[in-house]
Amino acid sequence: MDNYENFKKEVHNLTKIDLSSYKEKQMRRRIDSLVAKHKCKEYHDYVMLLKSDKEVFDEFVNFLTINVSEFYRNPEQWELMSKEFIPELMKKSGQNLKIWSAACSTGDEPYSLVMCLSKHIPLNKIKILATDLDKQVIATAKVGLYSAKSIANVPDDLKKKFFTQVGSSYQISDEVKKCVEFKEHNLLRDPYPSNYDMIVCRNVLIYFTDEAKTEVYSKFCKSLRQNGILFIGSTEQVIDYKDLGYKRRYSFYYEKV
């Protein structure tokens, strides 16, 4: 195949997604399989297809952003949030907690946050900012329809309260949806919001290079209030957390110092 470096530049021009910030071997393998699927001999041919076919373009962006999500992933970590971190943050900010679900994918995480918070705060007081760079997954998140597998870890009382079965799928309630504001945001390019009590960004940065991870974690720290909490995935860690301005509370929870 022709020059991958040129392909990365073309993709950046088209999508504003910087492929240089992703682990190349892993990402290139994913892209090559998609190029082959569309029977393109060269990257250039595939770029031309991306420019001319909206469905192929949308498929490519969706494919790149690796949307694998589920409600209450690693339930014990959410239990810890409910028992320890939400009460702790409420002592400082009351019921007006500012929480950002970054790279929120299909909405499983921000909606999990709403349900978790609902045990401590009335729904009409809960406001979550949820962002992702993929318009398609944001559209899916706004619909709020999920498979039984996606909601398997939701506690039974919350499942009963906030979901309605529709055929073999489950619709999340409008009262939960109203608590979440979805916006497009590229972690590697766009300005970050500020003064947040908690940022949740899980199982996304594992695909980034070490340099890109450090940049994102540093920006998250600046976005947090003093003693704000960063909640990451159980397979992730902030390597230079002390240098970046955090202290580690648990392997997946970091506090801004």
Side-chain angles (χ1 to χ4, degrees):
M1 263 193 225
D2 58 357
N3 195 306
Y4 186 67
E5 290 303 313
N6 284 343
F7 176 72
K8 289 197 290 188
K9 288 175 189 171
E10 291 274 16
V11 167
H12 188 262
N13 289 337
L14 273 175
T15 67
K16 305 303 179 198
I17 296 170
D18 183 4
L19 293 180
S20 297
S21 295
Y22 293 81
K23 293 174 183 172
E24 183 158 318
K25 189 177 177 183
Q26 202 173 20
M27 184 54 79
R28 192 165 178 173
R29 188 170 61 242
R30 288 174 60 82
I31 289 168
D32 286 352
S33 69
L34 205 51
V35 171
K37 175 187 170 185
H38 289 285
K39 298 180 171 56
C40 295
K41 291 182 179 177
E42 307 288 351
Y43 289 127
H44 174 73
D45 301 331
Y46 186 58
V47 168
M48 298 308 290
L49 189 60
L50 291 174
K51 289 178 178 178
S52 63
D53 190 320
K54 188 179 183 303
E55 277 190 25
V56 174
F57 178 82
D58 289 344
E59 174 197 50
F60 177 63
V61 173
N62 194 41
F63 196 74
L64 274 192
T65 49
I66 316 163
N67 298 300
V68 180
S69 193
E70 62 190 51
F71 284 79
Y72 278 78
R73 178 183 277 186
N74 312 114
E76 70 286 351
Q77 298 174 11
W78 289 88
E79 180 93 0
L80 187 60
M81 180 194 285
S82 185
K83 285 185 174 173
E84 185 166 336
F85 288 106
I86 292 173
E88 190 177 289
L89 292 170
M90 285 178 68
K91 283 178 185 174
K92 295 167 190 149
S93 299
Q95 294 187 339
N96 300 311
L97 295 182
K98 282 187 74 176
I99 298 179
W100 175 19
S101 174
C104 68
S105 188
T106 50
D108 313 45
E109 229 142 65
Y111 291 144
S112 294
L113 279 165
V114 172
M115 290 188 286
C116 194
L117 284 161
S118 74
K119 297 206 163 194
H120 305 266
I121 300 171
L123 280 172
N124 63 3
K125 297 265 189 184
I126 298 171
K127 294 291 171 208
I128 307 288
L129 171 66
T131 64
D132 202 279
L133 59 72
D134 187 343
K135 288 180 186 175
Q136 204 171 313
V137 297
I138 287 175
T140 300
K142 286 179 177 178
V143 172
L145 195 62
Y146 299 94
S147 67
K149 186 183 175 188
S150 288
I151 70 163
N153 288 327
V154 176
D156 287 342
D157 59 326
L158 297 177
K159 203 181 289 184
K160 189 175 179 182
K161 187 174 182 181
F162 293 125
F163 287 92
T164 304
Q165 190 165 354
V166 181
S168 59
S169 300
Y170 291 82
Q171 174 74 57
I172 198 156
S173 74
D174 285 344
E175 56 182 344
V176 171
K177 286 205 270 186
K178 283 175 188 170
C179 298
V180 183
E181 180 186 11
F182 290 97
K183 285 185 176 178
E184 276 183 70
H185 183 270
N186 185 329
L187 287 171
L188 296 168
R189 186 196 71 200
D190 296 333
Y192 281 36
S194 58
N195 292 318
Y196 276 78
D197 294 289
M198 181 184 285
I199 296 172
V200 179
C201 184
R202 308 180 73 222
N203 309 301
V204 176
L205 271 58
I206 48 173
Y207 303 103
F208 286 17
T209 62
D210 289 342
E211 294 77 15
K213 283 180 195 173
T214 298
E215 183 187 346
V216 171
Y217 286 139
S218 176
K219 287 181 177 178
F220 279 155
C221 194
K222 289 170 187 168
S223 290
L224 286 167
R225 290 175 174 161
Q226 194 75 24
N227 305 116
I229 297 295
L230 173 65
F231 179 24
I232 63 173
S234 56
T235 58
E236 300 170 312
Q237 57 179 318
V238 183
I239 302 289
D240 303 320
Y241 64 91
K242 288 180 183 174
D243 295 336
L244 295 176
Y246 298 100
K247 71 175 178 183
R248 186 162 63 183
R249 295 282 299 272
Y250 294 91
S251 60
F252 35 84
Y253 280 106
Y254 293 80
E255 179 183 334
K256 178 176 179 173
V257 293

